[in-house]
Amino acid sequence: MMIITLLILGLYFPSIHYNQIDISPNFFLISILIFSVCNNDYKVILFGFFFGLINDILLSTYYHGLLTIIFTFFSYILFRANIYKNRTLINPLNITLLYLTIFLLYIIRYEDSYFFYIVFSSVNTFLSFIVLILFDNFFGISKKYAKK
């Protein structure tokens, strides 16, 4: 239910623009992150591939397939990290991976200085983190799936 909600939000959520730069939360990455906590098998990688393919089709950058590879790599790292961590949703590893993935997405999408990438990917990660906290509090994901 929550994955479908995030998918609908990812497709239909209005874009937040600042100086013609899209800084809206990345609901596809959030849904991969939530799905990796809920499931600890190879479905996470397929899910990341599927969402990367959707992003590739929607954004249609010059590098066809690169977003799919980035999303699949993000989901693979989350899958491998779920084996070793206690499966809490909000931890430094998840936030760092989210930041690095958004940073790579900005490098692919825009051509500007590294300061630009750092600032706008930080803002986007912060907004995505707020949405992640709201979903965690609303659905109680960390309480349901945390290892004891």
Side-chain angles (χ1 to χ4, degrees):
M1 176 69 180
M2 68 186 138
I3 302 298
I4 294 171
T5 305
L6 283 168
L7 179 63
I8 291 171
L9 281 173
L11 292 173
Y12 296 109
F13 190 76
S15 296
I16 301 170
H17 290 281
Y18 178 75
N19 289 340
Q20 299 175 348
I21 306 297
D22 183 20
I23 58 168
S24 55
N26 197 330
F27 289 103
F28 292 115
L29 289 177
I30 294 170
S31 60
I32 293 171
L33 192 62
I34 290 173
F35 193 75
S36 75
V37 170
C38 297
N39 298 322
N40 200 15
D41 56 357
Y42 285 103
K43 293 177 189 173
V44 175
I45 299 171
L46 292 173
F47 198 71
F49 177 79
F50 175 68
F51 274 0
L53 193 62
I54 289 174
N55 261 328
D56 239 350
I57 292 169
L58 290 178
L59 292 178
S60 64
T61 60
Y62 297 113
Y63 310 107
H64 296 291
L66 191 58
L67 291 177
T68 306
I69 292 171
I70 289 173
F71 274 70
T72 306
F73 187 69
F74 175 71
S75 60
Y76 176 75
I77 297 286
L78 285 175
F79 167 69
R80 296 304 293 172
N82 265 338
I83 295 172
Y84 302 112
K85 65 179 181 168
N86 58 0
R87 294 178 73 173
T88 57
L89 189 59
I90 300 167
N91 61 22
L93 177 68
N94 288 345
I95 302 306
T96 305
L97 285 173
L98 188 68
Y99 175 76
L100 290 176
T101 307
I102 290 172
F103 184 79
L104 286 174
L105 292 176
Y106 272 109
I107 286 176
I108 292 170
R109 205 161 166 199
Y110 302 105
E111 296 177 4
D112 214 326
S113 67
Y114 284 109
F115 180 72
F116 163 83
Y117 298 139
I118 291 170
V119 168
F120 283 107
S121 58
S122 299
V123 170
N124 195 328
T125 303
F126 178 73
L127 291 175
S128 298
F129 184 68
I130 296 297
V131 170
L132 187 65
I133 289 174
L134 290 175
F135 264 85
D136 188 29
N137 289 337
F138 186 73
F139 288 108
I141 300 161
S142 292
K143 292 176 186 172
K144 282 185 196 175
Y145 298 103
K147 290 181 183 177
K148 305 276 179 181

